[in-house]
Amino acid sequence: MKHLHRRTVLASALCALALTAMPSWAFENKAQGISANEIVLGSSQPMTGTLAYMGKAVDEGIRTYFDIVNQQGGVHGRTIKLITYDDELKPAKSVANAKLLVERDKVLGMIGNIGHATNISAYSYSSTKGVPTIGALSISDLTSSPPREMLYVLPSPQSTETAAYIDYAVQELKAKKIAMLYQNDGWGKPAYDIAVKQLDSHGMQLVEAQSFERFATDLTSQVFKLKESQPDVVVVYALGQEAVQFFRAAEKLGWTPTVFGAGGLNDPKFVELLGNTPSQLYVASYYDAVEGDNPAIQSFFEHYKKLYPNSAPSSTALMGYSAAAVAVEALERAGPEPSREKVIAALNGMTEFDQKIGPAITFQALDAGPYSRRGQTGIALMQLKDQKFTPLGSGYIDPVQR
């Protein structure tokens, strides 16, 4: 018993000595998702439900980027771990996920969350704990305006996208009558407001506007009224199955409209869901073409295919790439002894960061205006041809030009 007591005392003394030798930041940061060898980040995604294909692609994109970084030694010697929970694109679940990630998993920050309502709901909790949301994936201007201190949003917003749709329809397609279908929430309503404002600049008005509730299962009535207005172009802010419902209803009515759809439709999974359609479909892209010659995109998807052989390369996966690239850059800038505060400072000072797949990313001081927490403002227009999205013209359209 005496020998056991001596060994216990000796072990306690050695443990105390080791703890004394550790830097103070190591104690503080373990509760912030940072240990000697690892950094933990969390994500809340629609892994089931109508937009599961988007949540899955974003999650895979983030994981692929982190896997590449980890294989190269991580960030300042630490590998990055991602924990993802399913929110079904439901705000209440996004809050529950945020609580789990912050309180149980002790994440450094949230990353790549999809959706306006889900991001704002989760942020309402995570921000009270000083946890930043890095690369929130929402095109709703309401997600970034008014700007929120620790909510860093990607990609380009509807105020760029929708305005570009109206301008192209009027100037290039010579459309005289434009109608609109939009989801009646904080994602779709801002697009409607922007369309009205942009049409006004051309001396025009919407000839018809119809809305639908999220998770709607039948859009026949709305599509019938849109068809009756005989528009040259229809702007459609719907995603997933709701967007498919629009095209199916149009086909049943013998209508083949020219459509400008939300940028999130620029995805092979949506093309698969849609199948062949006689309608013309234009969308916005926040990145270079998936099947183009951008070397960073080609290299990324070579790695992606090895990790996820059953998943098709997509612009949605590139959204995950973009969020992950911003997170890694912020961690690099935060230095060898990172903290949430240092990561936030790094994000606040991020100017013209070249993510290599599309427009550079800039975050500004909180009081710099409505785009201060919006990393990108440029988009490229693409058209669906032969089941693939092909760029229209060259370069990015960016009316903000910060």
Side-chain angles (χ1 to χ4, degrees):
M1 289 297 291
K2 288 182 180 180
H3 291 300
L4 179 60
H5 177 69
R6 287 172 185 167
R7 282 198 295 269
T8 303
V9 171
L10 179 60
S12 299
L14 289 172
C15 182
L17 182 62
L19 291 172
T20 303
M22 291 177 69
S24 60
W25 69 268
F27 296 103
E28 297 169 359
N29 289 5
K30 194 156 187 181
Q32 296 189 12
I34 303 168
S35 64
N37 302 310
E38 189 177 66
I39 296 169
V40 184
L41 295 170
S43 190
S44 180
Q45 299 289 353
M47 304 300 283
T48 58
T50 60
L51 291 187
Y53 74 92
M54 291 187 70
K56 181 173 178 286
V58 166
D59 184 67
E60 291 174 349
I62 296 173
R63 291 180 186 278
T64 298
Y65 194 94
F66 286 166
D67 192 68
I68 293 170
V69 171
N70 289 342
Q71 286 190 17
Q72 295 171 351
V75 181
H76 297 298
R78 294 181 182 85
T79 57
I80 305 175
K81 177 182 177 181
L82 176 67
I83 300 173
T84 303
Y85 295 130
D86 179 19
D87 62 25
E88 301 179 47
L89 205 66
K90 295 178 180 178
K93 288 198 172 185
S94 72
V95 176
N97 289 349
K99 289 181 177 180
L100 279 175
L101 289 165
V102 173
E103 296 176 13
R104 185 180 69 185
D105 301 315
K106 310 296 184 186
V107 299
L108 170 69
M110 307 281 284
I111 179 172
N113 297 355
I114 288 179
H116 166 68
T118 43
N119 262 297
I120 296 301
S121 296
Y123 180 79
S124 67
Y125 165 78
S126 60
S127 60
T128 65
K129 304 298 181 180
V131 177
T133 301
I134 306 167
L137 298 172
S138 169
I139 63 171
S140 172
D141 282 79
L142 294 181
T143 313
S144 56
S145 182
R148 295 165 176 84
E149 185 177 6
M150 290 176 283
L151 184 61
Y152 301 88
V153 189
L154 302 168
S156 301
Q158 290 165 330
S159 53
T160 297
E161 179 178 288
T162 311
Y165 288 169
I166 298 299
D167 289 346
Y168 192 88
V170 173
Q171 296 167 356
E172 303 299 326
L173 301 185
K174 308 303 179 184
K176 303 297 183 185
K177 299 170 69 178
I178 297 176
M180 187 167 186
L181 174 72
Y182 63 94
Q183 187 167 288
N184 187 29
D185 62 4
W187 176 72
K189 186 61 165 56
Y192 167 80
D193 294 336
I194 293 159
V196 169
K197 181 179 178 181
Q198 198 67 14
L199 278 169
D200 185 65
S201 71
H202 292 285
M204 299 171 63
Q205 296 179 337
L206 288 169
V207 295
E208 182 63 51
Q210 289 290 313
S211 66
F212 64 94
E213 300 306 316
R214 194 156 52 117
F215 306 128
T217 57
D218 186 5
L219 299 179
T220 304
S221 174
Q222 291 94 326
V223 176
F224 176 80
K225 292 175 183 177
L226 291 166
K227 179 180 182 291
E228 288 293 290
S229 69
Q230 298 182 332
D232 301 310
V233 162
V234 183
V235 178
V236 174
Y237 268 85
L239 292 172
Q241 291 293 347
E242 288 93 333
V244 172
Q245 287 178 49
F246 167 83
F247 286 97
R248 293 290 174 268
E251 290 166 15
K252 288 179 182 178
L253 294 170
W255 185 33
T256 56
T258 296
V259 178
F260 283 80
L265 300 182
N266 181 16
D267 186 281
K269 186 62 178 179
F270 173 72
V271 175
E272 179 185 324
L273 290 171
L274 179 62
N276 291 315
T277 177
S279 300
Q280 291 189 60
L281 174 60
Y282 298 88
V283 298
S285 176
Y286 319 115
Y287 318 106
D288 293 350
V290 170
E291 296 171 330
D293 56 5
N294 181 309
I297 291 177
Q298 290 176 340
S299 176
F300 172 76
F301 280 123
E302 283 177 12
H303 200 93
Y304 181 82
K305 289 176 185 176
K306 292 177 183 176
L307 291 177
Y308 305 103
N310 296 322
S311 296
S314 66
S315 61
T316 310
L318 289 180
M319 292 172 77
Y321 172 119
S322 183
V326 170
V328 168
E329 180 66 13
L331 287 166
E332 289 281 5
R333 297 185 186 195
E337 297 182 0
S339 65
R340 287 174 184 154
E341 292 75 15
K342 289 181 180 179
V343 168
I344 290 169
L347 288 164
N348 290 344
M350 192 171 288
T351 303
E352 290 297 309
F353 165 57
D354 183 8
Q355 60 175 336
K356 302 185 184 306
I357 62 172
I361 292 172
T362 294
F363 293 112
Q364 299 171 303
L366 196 63
D367 61 357
Y371 297 98
S372 64
R373 287 295 187 266
R374 176 68 64 168
Q376 299 161 266
T377 51
I379 60 103
L381 289 176
M382 297 193 176
Q383 183 178 10
L384 182 62
K385 290 183 177 181
D386 300 322
Q387 300 298 95
K388 296 178 182 178
F389 285 102
T390 304
L392 291 176
S394 59
Y396 285 82
I397 301 168
D398 189 353
V400 176
Q401 295 291 339
R402 289 179 296 177

